[in-house]
Amino acid sequence: MVVKVDLSDKTLTVDNKKFFISCVVRNELNGWRKKSQVVKSIPKDRPIYPRPFPKGAWKISGVEYTDDPVYAPVKIKTNAFKMLPIWKLDDKCNYESKTAEYTRDEAYWLHYADGSTTTLGCIRLNSPADAIALAKIIETELETSCYVKLEVV
């Protein structure tokens, strides 16, 4: 099984089923993130500006049901990561300037986000029902496989 995501077409396809998705990120490039809204990388906790889900071949490794409104009702975990520049913060802990250093940023997942049309780089499914339907498909495959292939273009 392969889950295929087309970020420009805003679709996710698996088993001949199509889901509509988005991957809208507030950052310095579009001016939608305030300098005081600092995001930290996972797992190193370094200041970064978030970026959209990285393109490429990845693995979906698990499904976790949650009540956390940021991810509810389910987060679908992947091994996707991106190397991002570390930002220097000023004395008020606001973004100041980009450094020459990079850090690994992980936790690029697939989920629904209640009350927000943006994510920190994750793929956002359009509804809780879509998130659950996709999770069920993936759970069934994970019963007999170690992972599900994820292709992001």
Side-chain angles (χ1 to χ4, degrees):
M1 171 189 293
V2 179
V3 174
K4 295 183 179 182
V5 173
D6 185 328
L7 294 174
S8 61
D9 192 36
K10 299 181 181 177
T11 59
L12 179 153
T13 308
V14 62
D15 281 354
N16 295 317
K17 292 179 179 71
K18 186 180 277 191
F19 298 91
F20 293 99
I21 57 99
S22 62
C23 187
V24 179
V25 178
R26 294 179 298 119
N27 58 29
E28 84 288 8
L29 300 177
N30 57 26
W32 295 352
R33 178 165 298 283
K34 297 176 186 173
K35 290 187 179 257
S36 62
Q37 296 173 319
V38 175
V39 174
K40 301 286 184 86
S41 64
I42 297 172
K44 300 270 185 183
D45 203 38
R46 305 296 305 269
I48 58 163
Y49 267 110
R51 293 292 184 262
F53 202 101
K55 294 179 179 179
W58 305 105
K59 295 177 182 177
I60 295 173
S61 57
V63 171
E64 181 182 319
Y65 291 89
T66 179
D67 292 328
D68 182 338
V70 175
Y71 307 108
V74 61
K75 54 186 168 186
I76 299 166
K77 297 183 173 187
T78 79
N79 70 338
F81 71 92
K82 203 173 226 184
M83 297 302 293
L84 295 177
I86 298 170
W87 281 71
K88 179 181 176 188
L89 302 180
D90 64 19
D91 57 356
K92 294 180 182 173
C93 294
N94 295 325
Y95 289 111
E96 183 173 277
S97 59
K98 184 168 41 172
T99 72
E101 293 180 76
Y102 281 74
T103 189
R104 182 178 169 122
D105 188 38
E106 301 176 5
Y108 288 90
W109 299 330
L110 292 77
H111 61 84
Y112 174 71
D114 189 30
S116 178
T117 57
T118 65
T119 71
L120 296 178
C122 294
I123 292 168
R124 181 187 183 276
L125 290 135
N126 277 359
S127 72
D130 284 355
I132 290 171
L134 178 60
K136 296 293 183 195
I137 293 168
I138 290 167
E139 283 179 315
T140 299
E141 182 68 15
L142 289 175
E143 288 175 6
T144 58
S145 302
C146 297
Y147 63 88
V148 173
K149 293 179 183 178
L150 172 65
E151 293 178 5
V152 181
V153 295

